[in-house]
Amino acid sequence: MKRSRFTEEQIIGVLKEHEAGMKTADLCRKHGISEATFYNWKAKFGGMEVSEAKRLKALEDENARLKKLLAESMLNEAALKELLNKKMVRPAAKREAVAHLRSQFGMSERRACAVLAVDRKTVRYRSRRPADTELRTRLRDLAAERRRFGYRRLFILLRREGERSSLNRIHRLYKEEGLTVRRRKGRRKAIGTRAPILVVAKPNARWSLDFVHDQMANGRRFRILNIVDDVTRECLAAIPDTSISGVRVAREMTLLIAKRGKPGMIVSDNGTEFTSNAILAWSQDHGIDWHYIAPGKPTQNAYVESFNGRMRDELLNESLFISLAHARAVIANWIHDYNTARPHSSLGYQTPAAHAANLQATGSASPPLRGSGADPVAQIAPTGVTLGETLPMAG
């Protein structure tokens, strides 16, 4: 507010001169003021003494100060309500909040930082990190190629290409590029007492079988018979067809044994294809133990169930099959990639083929049982099996 040239004492003195009989025009000419100013003074201070005028002036100043404080408080409250549901933990979020207050409420940087209790050095800081343009581009390309891979598997693929960045750096770039994989649905967790199923840590110690269902673009449904080696995590076969009977399962198993060798044990659910007379006769003729999991307990066949989940997430949900021949070609390519290129988290991010080669070269990747002198056992086992179910399944 513009400061007046006259104090309260001077204004009261002028009014006293007018009351003594001096004309208004002469009074205004004497003190260099306009008649409008004089009449404003008279309306405001007429009949008052100097002390009363000073008290009125003090009250006006106090009122103006309180109004200013109230306006600032209301503005601060409105600004905080605007940012009520926003998290401001990281420096980047704090910078965005300060910029929002400055643009929306016209606050200065100093005031916005005071309202949010943010250090101004934090707001003014500018990162000196390199742009990492090539690395970001390659990361986006890999994520587009492997859309269901998280940052850990993408990190393994980059390491194979010679990239020396740490896992934390890849994770940061992965999040900044918005490549986070969306979870499709929650998974039910196994409950009850858990105990390992003892399996010798070598290829062909145990195979797991299960079916996966899908449909083609024309709506025709088909199924896939998946056969997995529980120790090496290799997919030994993935056979798609519109109908697969027990006789077909036995025939495919015979061809697989001729190519790979006989397994020590086979685990499956209680589906009609696996409990048919053809399978019972085949297992007896080949001298192979065929164990069935408890009804309604898919966690007892966890290896192939886990593989089915990866196939569903990374292949079936991402592909549109035109025909059965097209499905066979795509699935065969994916199985080859799964065995030879895709890093497996439970194998220390090795590929199943590399892990199988290590087992063949070293004899085992796990130490033998303490004091047993027997063959070593695989460390990782299916979960959700109670102790009473473990012994019969282990033979």
Side-chain angles (χ1 to χ4, degrees), residues 135 138 142 145-146 149 152-165 170 336-345 347-355:
L135 180 57
R138 184 53 185 158
L142 285 176
E145 181 182 349
R146 311 259 187 179
F149 274 24
R152 290 186 175 88
R153 286 193 173 88
L154 295 178
F155 168 74
I156 297 298
L157 298 180
L158 289 172
R159 273 295 174 90
R160 291 179 184 173
E161 297 177 358
E163 177 59 47
R164 306 307 301 171
S165 298
I170 298 301
H336 177 74
D337 178 82
Y338 179 90
N339 288 333
T340 60
R342 181 187 183 277
H344 203 297
S345 58
L347 302 179
Y349 291 99
Q350 297 181 12
T351 62
H355 182 63

mmCIF file of all heavy atoms in Angstrom, residues 135 138 142 145-146 149 152-165 170 336-345 347-355:
data_model
loop_
_atom_site.group_PDB
_atom_site.id
_atom_site.type_symbol
_atom_site.label_atom_id
_atom_site.label_comp_id
_atom_site.label_asym_id
_atom_site.label_seq_id
_atom_site.Cartn_x
_atom_site.Cartn_y
_atom_site.Cartn_z
ATOM 1 N N LEU A 135 21.859 -48.350 -24.598
ATOM 2 C CA LEU A 135 21.433 -49.389 -23.677
ATOM 3 C C LEU A 135 19.915 -49.384 -23.536
ATOM 4 O O LEU A 135 19.282 -50.453 -23.500
ATOM 5 C CB LEU A 135 22.105 -49.195 -22.320
ATOM 6 C CG LEU A 135 21.752 -50.216 -21.235
ATOM 7 C CD1 LEU A 135 22.055 -51.627 -21.699
ATOM 8 C CD2 LEU A 135 22.513 -49.907 -19.943
ATOM 9 N N ARG A 138 18.416 -50.966 -26.661
ATOM 10 C CA ARG A 138 18.559 -52.429 -26.680
ATOM 11 C C ARG A 138 17.632 -53.080 -25.654
ATOM 12 O O ARG A 138 17.050 -54.141 -25.922
ATOM 13 C CB ARG A 138 20.018 -52.803 -26.386
ATOM 14 C CG ARG A 138 20.314 -54.304 -26.462
ATOM 15 C CD ARG A 138 19.862 -54.867 -27.784
ATOM 16 N NE ARG A 138 20.016 -56.318 -27.851
ATOM 17 C CZ ARG A 138 19.339 -57.093 -28.679
ATOM 18 N NH1 ARG A 138 18.446 -56.563 -29.518
ATOM 19 N NH2 ARG A 138 19.527 -58.397 -28.673
ATOM 20 N N LEU A 142 14.765 -55.834 -26.530
ATOM 21 C CA LEU A 142 14.667 -57.155 -25.895
ATOM 22 C C LEU A 142 13.316 -57.331 -25.225
ATOM 23 O O LEU A 142 12.717 -58.418 -25.278
ATOM 24 C CB LEU A 142 15.794 -57.329 -24.877
ATOM 25 C CG LEU A 142 17.196 -57.586 -25.437
ATOM 26 C CD1 LEU A 142 18.214 -57.645 -24.315
ATOM 27 C CD2 LEU A 142 17.224 -58.898 -26.227
ATOM 28 N N GLU A 145 10.785 -58.046 -27.771
ATOM 29 C CA GLU A 145 10.941 -59.411 -28.286
ATOM 30 C C GLU A 145 10.489 -60.447 -27.275
ATOM 31 O O GLU A 145 9.890 -61.458 -27.639
ATOM 32 C CB GLU A 145 12.407 -59.634 -28.662
ATOM 33 C CG GLU A 145 12.704 -61.005 -29.225
ATOM 34 C CD GLU A 145 14.173 -61.191 -29.531
ATOM 35 O OE1 GLU A 145 14.923 -60.183 -29.507
ATOM 36 O OE2 GLU A 145 14.583 -62.332 -29.789
ATOM 37 N N ARG A 146 10.789 -60.193 -25.987
ATOM 38 C CA ARG A 146 10.410 -61.114 -24.907
ATOM 39 C C ARG A 146 9.488 -60.341 -23.957
ATOM 40 O O ARG A 146 9.900 -59.846 -22.911
ATOM 41 C CB ARG A 146 11.648 -61.574 -24.153
ATOM 42 C CG ARG A 146 12.776 -62.062 -25.060
ATOM 43 C CD ARG A 146 12.816 -63.536 -25.098
ATOM 44 N NE ARG A 146 13.968 -64.059 -25.807
ATOM 45 C CZ ARG A 146 14.196 -65.350 -25.933
ATOM 46 N NH1 ARG A 146 13.381 -66.218 -25.405
ATOM 47 N NH2 ARG A 146 15.256 -65.785 -26.591
ATOM 48 N N PHE A 149 9.229 -61.247 -20.147
ATOM 49 C CA PHE A 149 10.456 -61.342 -19.364
ATOM 50 C C PHE A 149 10.546 -60.142 -18.429
ATOM 51 O O PHE A 149 10.299 -59.011 -18.820
ATOM 52 C CB PHE A 149 11.687 -61.364 -20.281
ATOM 53 C CG PHE A 149 12.047 -62.741 -20.774
ATOM 54 C CD1 PHE A 149 11.098 -63.734 -20.839
ATOM 55 C CD2 PHE A 149 13.342 -63.039 -21.174
ATOM 56 C CE1 PHE A 149 11.419 -64.999 -21.296
ATOM 57 C CE2 PHE A 149 13.677 -64.298 -21.634
ATOM 58 C CZ PHE A 149 12.704 -65.279 -21.701
ATOM 59 N N ARG A 152 15.255 -59.217 -14.540
ATOM 60 C CA ARG A 152 16.346 -60.151 -14.232
ATOM 61 C C ARG A 152 16.736 -60.973 -15.459
ATOM 62 O O ARG A 152 17.922 -61.143 -15.744
ATOM 63 C CB ARG A 152 15.936 -61.063 -13.077
ATOM 64 C CG ARG A 152 15.846 -60.350 -11.726
ATOM 65 C CD ARG A 152 15.573 -61.348 -10.612
ATOM 66 N NE ARG A 152 15.592 -60.710 -9.308
ATOM 67 C CZ ARG A 152 14.549 -60.155 -8.730
ATOM 68 N NH1 ARG A 152 13.377 -60.144 -9.370
ATOM 69 N NH2 ARG A 152 14.621 -59.601 -7.545
ATOM 70 N N ARG A 153 15.740 -61.498 -16.168
ATOM 71 C CA ARG A 153 16.066 -62.276 -17.367
ATOM 72 C C ARG A 153 16.603 -61.384 -18.472
ATOM 73 O O ARG A 153 17.498 -61.783 -19.223
ATOM 74 C CB ARG A 153 14.833 -63.047 -17.846
ATOM 75 C CG ARG A 153 14.500 -64.257 -16.973
ATOM 76 C CD ARG A 153 13.486 -65.169 -17.642
ATOM 77 N NE ARG A 153 13.304 -66.385 -16.877
ATOM 78 C CZ ARG A 153 12.439 -66.531 -15.878
ATOM 79 N NH1 ARG A 153 11.690 -65.524 -15.521
ATOM 80 N NH2 ARG A 153 12.333 -67.673 -15.217
ATOM 81 N N LEU A 154 16.083 -60.174 -18.593
ATOM 82 C CA LEU A 154 16.646 -59.246 -19.579
ATOM 83 C C LEU A 154 18.082 -58.895 -19.231
ATOM 84 O O LEU A 154 18.928 -58.722 -20.120
ATOM 85 C CB LEU A 154 15.795 -57.967 -19.632
ATOM 86 C CG LEU A 154 14.359 -58.138 -20.137
ATOM 87 C CD1 LEU A 154 13.626 -56.812 -20.091
ATOM 88 C CD2 LEU A 154 14.338 -58.718 -21.544
ATOM 89 N N PHE A 155 18.392 -58.806 -17.939
ATOM 90 C CA PHE A 155 19.767 -58.563 -17.501
ATOM 91 C C PHE A 155 20.691 -59.697 -17.939
ATOM 92 O O PHE A 155 21.809 -59.461 -18.414
ATOM 93 C CB PHE A 155 19.787 -58.406 -15.979
ATOM 94 C CG PHE A 155 21.164 -58.441 -15.368
ATOM 95 C CD1 PHE A 155 22.026 -57.361 -15.491
ATOM 96 C CD2 PHE A 155 21.601 -59.557 -14.679
ATOM 97 C CE1 PHE A 155 23.285 -57.392 -14.934
ATOM 98 C CE2 PHE A 155 22.860 -59.597 -14.115
ATOM 99 C CZ PHE A 155 23.710 -58.511 -14.241
ATOM 100 N N ILE A 156 20.209 -60.940 -17.817
ATOM 101 C CA ILE A 156 21.006 -62.086 -18.253
ATOM 102 C C ILE A 156 21.250 -62.027 -19.752
ATOM 103 O O ILE A 156 22.369 -62.280 -20.235
ATOM 104 C CB ILE A 156 20.303 -63.401 -17.858
ATOM 105 C CG1 ILE A 156 20.189 -63.520 -16.333
ATOM 106 C CG2 ILE A 156 21.066 -64.603 -18.414
ATOM 107 C CD1 ILE A 156 21.510 -63.560 -15.608
ATOM 108 N N LEU A 157 20.229 -61.682 -20.524
ATOM 109 C CA LEU A 157 20.398 -61.599 -21.978
ATOM 110 C C LEU A 157 21.381 -60.498 -22.360
ATOM 111 O O LEU A 157 22.189 -60.665 -23.282
ATOM 112 C CB LEU A 157 19.045 -61.347 -22.638
ATOM 113 C CG LEU A 157 17.972 -62.436 -22.454
ATOM 114 C CD1 LEU A 157 16.698 -62.050 -23.173
ATOM 115 C CD2 LEU A 157 18.470 -63.788 -22.946
ATOM 116 N N LEU A 158 21.337 -59.369 -21.658
ATOM 117 C CA LEU A 158 22.285 -58.288 -21.935
ATOM 118 C C LEU A 158 23.700 -58.704 -21.572
ATOM 119 O O LEU A 158 24.664 -58.349 -22.263
ATOM 120 C CB LEU A 158 21.886 -57.033 -21.162
ATOM 121 C CG LEU A 158 20.623 -56.303 -21.659
ATOM 122 C CD1 LEU A 158 20.227 -55.198 -20.703
ATOM 123 C CD2 LEU A 158 20.846 -55.740 -23.053
ATOM 124 N N ARG A 159 23.855 -59.426 -20.468
ATOM 125 C CA ARG A 159 25.186 -59.904 -20.076
ATOM 126 C C ARG A 159 25.763 -60.838 -21.135
ATOM 127 O O ARG A 159 26.969 -60.834 -21.395
ATOM 128 C CB ARG A 159 25.103 -60.622 -18.722
ATOM 129 C CG ARG A 159 25.233 -59.683 -17.521
ATOM 130 C CD ARG A 159 26.619 -59.065 -17.496
ATOM 131 N NE ARG A 159 26.775 -58.060 -16.480
ATOM 132 C CZ ARG A 159 27.195 -58.297 -15.244
ATOM 133 N NH1 ARG A 159 27.468 -59.540 -14.877
ATOM 134 N NH2 ARG A 159 27.325 -57.319 -14.384
ATOM 135 N N ARG A 160 24.910 -61.651 -21.739
ATOM 136 C CA ARG A 160 25.388 -62.543 -22.804
ATOM 137 C C ARG A 160 25.935 -61.749 -23.988
ATOM 138 O O ARG A 160 26.827 -62.216 -24.694
ATOM 139 C CB ARG A 160 24.250 -63.455 -23.277
ATOM 140 C CG ARG A 160 23.808 -64.498 -22.259
ATOM 141 C CD ARG A 160 22.673 -65.309 -22.851
ATOM 142 N NE ARG A 160 22.145 -66.272 -21.896
ATOM 143 C CZ ARG A 160 21.063 -67.019 -22.125
ATOM 144 N NH1 ARG A 160 20.435 -66.900 -23.285
ATOM 145 N NH2 ARG A 160 20.618 -67.855 -21.216
ATOM 146 N N GLU A 161 25.370 -60.552 -24.187
ATOM 147 C CA GLU A 161 25.822 -59.715 -25.299
ATOM 148 C C GLU A 161 27.036 -58.870 -24.937
ATOM 149 O O GLU A 161 27.497 -58.084 -25.767
ATOM 150 C CB GLU A 161 24.675 -58.808 -25.747
ATOM 151 C CG GLU A 161 23.469 -59.580 -26.279
ATOM 152 C CD GLU A 161 22.323 -58.667 -26.636
ATOM 153 O OE1 GLU A 161 22.475 -57.435 -26.434
ATOM 154 O OE2 GLU A 161 21.283 -59.159 -27.111
ATOM 155 N N GLY A 162 27.529 -59.000 -23.700
ATOM 156 C CA GLY A 162 28.717 -58.258 -23.302
ATOM 157 C C GLY A 162 28.448 -56.993 -22.525
ATOM 158 O O GLY A 162 29.390 -56.251 -22.218
ATOM 159 N N GLU A 163 27.214 -56.696 -22.184
ATOM 160 C CA GLU A 163 26.889 -55.501 -21.400
ATOM 161 C C GLU A 163 27.335 -55.706 -19.950
ATOM 162 O O GLU A 163 26.969 -56.685 -19.311
ATOM 163 C CB GLU A 163 25.375 -55.234 -21.444
ATOM 164 C CG GLU A 163 24.916 -54.063 -20.594
ATOM 165 C CD GLU A 163 25.583 -52.772 -20.995
ATOM 166 O OE1 GLU A 163 25.632 -52.479 -22.204
ATOM 167 O OE2 GLU A 163 26.054 -52.061 -20.094
ATOM 168 N N ARG A 164 28.105 -54.752 -19.416
ATOM 169 C CA ARG A 164 28.686 -54.895 -18.091
ATOM 170 C C ARG A 164 27.925 -54.126 -17.009
ATOM 171 O O ARG A 164 28.378 -54.041 -15.873
ATOM 172 C CB ARG A 164 30.148 -54.414 -18.098
ATOM 173 C CG ARG A 164 31.035 -55.068 -19.140
ATOM 174 C CD ARG A 164 30.976 -56.581 -19.075
ATOM 175 N NE ARG A 164 31.378 -57.079 -17.760
ATOM 176 C CZ ARG A 164 31.264 -58.331 -17.357
ATOM 177 N NH1 ARG A 164 30.719 -59.220 -18.180
ATOM 178 N NH2 ARG A 164 31.671 -58.693 -16.156
ATOM 179 N N SER A 165 26.800 -53.547 -17.325
ATOM 180 C CA SER A 165 26.038 -52.795 -16.333
ATOM 181 C C SER A 165 25.548 -53.721 -15.234
ATOM 182 O O SER A 165 25.282 -54.911 -15.456
ATOM 183 C CB SER A 165 24.842 -52.100 -16.989
ATOM 184 O OG SER A 165 25.265 -51.181 -17.960
ATOM 185 N N ILE A 170 20.270 -51.833 -14.584
ATOM 186 C CA ILE A 170 19.298 -52.354 -15.540
ATOM 187 C C ILE A 170 17.886 -52.216 -14.976
ATOM 188 O O ILE A 170 16.939 -51.862 -15.690
ATOM 189 C CB ILE A 170 19.609 -53.815 -15.885
ATOM 190 C CG1 ILE A 170 20.996 -53.921 -16.562
ATOM 191 C CG2 ILE A 170 18.542 -54.390 -16.799
ATOM 192 C CD1 ILE A 170 21.135 -53.131 -17.832
ATOM 193 N N HIS A 336 12.543 -74.857 -28.485
ATOM 194 C CA HIS A 336 13.989 -74.788 -28.726
ATOM 195 C C HIS A 336 14.590 -73.567 -28.030
ATOM 196 O O HIS A 336 15.668 -73.667 -27.412
ATOM 197 C CB HIS A 336 14.252 -74.726 -30.240
ATOM 198 C CG HIS A 336 15.702 -74.577 -30.591
ATOM 199 N ND1 HIS A 336 16.609 -75.617 -30.483
ATOM 200 C CD2 HIS A 336 16.417 -73.490 -31.017
ATOM 201 C CE1 HIS A 336 17.808 -75.196 -30.844
ATOM 202 N NE2 HIS A 336 17.724 -73.906 -31.160
ATOM 203 N N ASP A 337 13.909 -72.453 -28.106
ATOM 204 C CA ASP A 337 14.389 -71.251 -27.423
ATOM 205 C C ASP A 337 14.365 -71.441 -25.907
ATOM 206 O O ASP A 337 15.278 -70.999 -25.209
ATOM 207 C CB ASP A 337 13.527 -70.058 -27.828
ATOM 208 C CG ASP A 337 13.938 -68.778 -27.126
ATOM 209 O OD1 ASP A 337 14.894 -68.136 -27.594
ATOM 210 O OD2 ASP A 337 13.310 -68.426 -26.103
ATOM 211 N N TYR A 338 13.328 -72.084 -25.390
ATOM 212 C CA TYR A 338 13.214 -72.320 -23.947
ATOM 213 C C TYR A 338 14.376 -73.178 -23.443
ATOM 214 O O TYR A 338 14.946 -72.920 -22.378
ATOM 215 C CB TYR A 338 11.883 -73.009 -23.651
ATOM 216 C CG TYR A 338 11.657 -73.320 -22.185
ATOM 217 C CD1 TYR A 338 11.035 -72.395 -21.356
ATOM 218 C CD2 TYR A 338 12.047 -74.539 -21.638
ATOM 219 C CE1 TYR A 338 10.818 -72.666 -20.016
ATOM 220 C CE2 TYR A 338 11.844 -74.820 -20.303
ATOM 221 C CZ TYR A 338 11.236 -73.881 -19.486
ATOM 222 O OH TYR A 338 11.028 -74.157 -18.153
ATOM 223 N N ASN A 339 14.736 -74.195 -24.183
ATOM 224 C CA ASN A 339 15.792 -75.110 -23.736
ATOM 225 C C ASN A 339 17.193 -74.538 -23.915
ATOM 226 O O ASN A 339 18.094 -74.832 -23.116
ATOM 227 C CB ASN A 339 15.686 -76.439 -24.487
ATOM 228 C CG ASN A 339 14.499 -77.265 -24.049
ATOM 229 O OD1 ASN A 339 14.028 -77.155 -22.913
ATOM 230 N ND2 ASN A 339 13.984 -78.089 -24.949
ATOM 231 N N THR A 340 17.403 -73.731 -24.944
ATOM 232 C CA THR A 340 18.769 -73.334 -25.298
ATOM 233 C C THR A 340 19.092 -71.864 -25.083
ATOM 234 O O THR A 340 20.270 -71.501 -25.054
ATOM 235 C CB THR A 340 19.033 -73.668 -26.771
ATOM 236 O OG1 THR A 340 18.096 -72.947 -27.597
ATOM 237 C CG2 THR A 340 18.880 -75.161 -27.027
ATOM 238 N N ALA A 341 18.084 -70.993 -24.950
ATOM 239 C CA ALA A 341 18.361 -69.549 -24.853
ATOM 240 C C ALA A 341 17.738 -68.893 -23.634
ATOM 241 O O ALA A 341 18.316 -67.966 -23.067
ATOM 242 C CB ALA A 341 17.865 -68.837 -26.116
ATOM 243 N N ARG A 342 16.591 -69.320 -23.219
ATOM 244 C CA ARG A 342 15.878 -68.654 -22.127
ATOM 245 C C ARG A 342 16.534 -68.966 -20.784
ATOM 246 O O ARG A 342 16.653 -70.122 -20.399
ATOM 247 C CB ARG A 342 14.421 -69.125 -22.097
ATOM 248 C CG ARG A 342 13.583 -68.481 -21.008
ATOM 249 C CD ARG A 342 12.214 -69.146 -20.971
ATOM 250 N NE ARG A 342 11.338 -68.525 -20.000
ATOM 251 C CZ ARG A 342 11.324 -68.809 -18.705
ATOM 252 N NH1 ARG A 342 12.174 -69.697 -18.211
ATOM 253 N NH2 ARG A 342 10.480 -68.206 -17.898
ATOM 254 N N PRO A 343 16.961 -67.934 -20.015
ATOM 255 C CA PRO A 343 17.546 -68.192 -18.689
ATOM 256 C C PRO A 343 16.477 -68.655 -17.704
ATOM 257 O O PRO A 343 15.385 -68.091 -17.644
ATOM 258 C CB PRO A 343 18.135 -66.839 -18.294
ATOM 259 C CG PRO A 343 17.383 -65.835 -19.086
ATOM 260 C CD PRO A 343 16.999 -66.504 -20.364
ATOM 261 N N HIS A 344 16.810 -69.673 -16.927
ATOM 262 C CA HIS A 344 15.879 -70.265 -15.965
ATOM 263 C C HIS A 344 16.282 -69.834 -14.567
ATOM 264 O O HIS A 344 17.402 -70.082 -14.125
ATOM 265 C CB HIS A 344 15.903 -71.795 -16.092
ATOM 266 C CG HIS A 344 14.663 -72.462 -15.589
ATOM 267 N ND1 HIS A 344 14.273 -72.388 -14.268
ATOM 268 C CD2 HIS A 344 13.712 -73.187 -16.222
ATOM 269 C CE1 HIS A 344 13.147 -73.065 -14.111
ATOM 270 N NE2 HIS A 344 12.778 -73.555 -15.283
ATOM 271 N N SER A 345 15.365 -69.182 -13.842
ATOM 272 C CA SER A 345 15.716 -68.593 -12.540
ATOM 273 C C SER A 345 16.112 -69.649 -11.515
ATOM 274 O O SER A 345 17.013 -69.435 -10.714
ATOM 275 C CB SER A 345 14.535 -67.769 -12.010
ATOM 276 O OG SER A 345 13.379 -68.579 -11.886
ATOM 277 N N LEU A 347 17.654 -72.329 -11.973
ATOM 278 C CA LEU A 347 18.943 -72.936 -12.338
ATOM 279 C C LEU A 347 20.060 -71.912 -12.275
ATOM 280 O O LEU A 347 21.094 -72.086 -12.917
ATOM 281 C CB LEU A 347 18.863 -73.535 -13.745
ATOM 282 C CG LEU A 347 17.788 -74.599 -13.978
ATOM 283 C CD1 LEU A 347 17.806 -75.078 -15.417
ATOM 284 C CD2 LEU A 347 17.975 -75.777 -13.025
ATOM 285 N N GLY A 348 19.871 -70.851 -11.486
ATOM 286 C CA GLY A 348 20.887 -69.802 -11.439
ATOM 287 C C GLY A 348 20.972 -69.047 -12.747
ATOM 288 O O GLY A 348 22.040 -68.567 -13.122
ATOM 289 N N TYR A 349 19.834 -68.939 -13.456
ATOM 290 C CA TYR A 349 19.731 -68.249 -14.733
ATOM 291 C C TYR A 349 20.587 -68.904 -15.816
ATOM 292 O O TYR A 349 21.004 -68.241 -16.764
ATOM 293 C CB TYR A 349 20.059 -66.763 -14.589
ATOM 294 C CG TYR A 349 19.004 -66.030 -13.799
ATOM 295 C CD1 TYR A 349 19.172 -65.744 -12.456
ATOM 296 C CD2 TYR A 349 17.809 -65.659 -14.413
ATOM 297 C CE1 TYR A 349 18.182 -65.100 -11.733
ATOM 298 C CE2 TYR A 349 16.819 -65.000 -13.702
ATOM 299 C CZ TYR A 349 17.019 -64.728 -12.363
ATOM 300 O OH TYR A 349 16.033 -64.086 -11.643
ATOM 301 N N GLN A 350 20.844 -70.201 -15.675
ATOM 302 C CA GLN A 350 21.379 -70.975 -16.796
ATOM 303 C C GLN A 350 20.216 -71.435 -17.668
ATOM 304 O O GLN A 350 19.058 -71.443 -17.263
ATOM 305 C CB GLN A 350 22.138 -72.211 -16.291
ATOM 306 C CG GLN A 350 23.368 -71.916 -15.454
ATOM 307 C CD GLN A 350 24.051 -73.208 -15.045
ATOM 308 O OE1 GLN A 350 23.755 -74.286 -15.545
ATOM 309 N NE2 GLN A 350 24.970 -73.097 -14.106
ATOM 310 N N THR A 351 20.528 -71.856 -18.865
ATOM 311 C CA THR A 351 19.507 -72.481 -19.689
ATOM 312 C C THR A 351 19.390 -73.951 -19.295
ATOM 313 O O THR A 351 20.350 -74.545 -18.778
ATOM 314 C CB THR A 351 19.871 -72.373 -21.175
ATOM 315 O OG1 THR A 351 21.098 -73.080 -21.404
ATOM 316 C CG2 THR A 351 20.045 -70.915 -21.575
ATOM 317 N N PRO A 352 18.224 -74.584 -19.499
ATOM 318 C CA PRO A 352 18.100 -76.012 -19.179
ATOM 319 C C PRO A 352 19.121 -76.881 -19.905
ATOM 320 O O PRO A 352 19.654 -77.832 -19.328
ATOM 321 C CB PRO A 352 16.663 -76.340 -19.600
ATOM 322 C CG PRO A 352 15.941 -75.040 -19.456
ATOM 323 C CD PRO A 352 16.929 -73.986 -19.855
ATOM 324 N N ALA A 353 19.416 -76.552 -21.160
ATOM 325 C CA ALA A 353 20.396 -77.347 -21.903
ATOM 326 C C ALA A 353 21.787 -77.211 -21.294
ATOM 327 O O ALA A 353 22.526 -78.196 -21.175
ATOM 328 C CB ALA A 353 20.414 -76.917 -23.371
ATOM 329 N N ALA A 354 22.167 -75.990 -20.888
ATOM 330 C CA ALA A 354 23.473 -75.797 -20.258
ATOM 331 C C ALA A 354 23.544 -76.514 -18.924
ATOM 332 O O ALA A 354 24.580 -77.090 -18.567
ATOM 333 C CB ALA A 354 23.751 -74.297 -20.083
ATOM 334 N N HIS A 355 22.445 -76.477 -18.164
ATOM 335 C CA HIS A 355 22.427 -77.177 -16.874
ATOM 336 C C HIS A 355 22.550 -78.682 -17.078
ATOM 337 O O HIS A 355 23.279 -79.364 -16.333
ATOM 338 C CB HIS A 355 21.135 -76.846 -16.137
ATOM 339 C CG HIS A 355 21.036 -77.469 -14.783
ATOM 340 N ND1 HIS A 355 21.909 -77.171 -13.745
ATOM 341 C CD2 HIS A 355 20.181 -78.406 -14.283
ATOM 342 C CE1 HIS A 355 21.589 -77.870 -12.668
ATOM 343 N NE2 HIS A 355 20.546 -78.623 -12.978
#
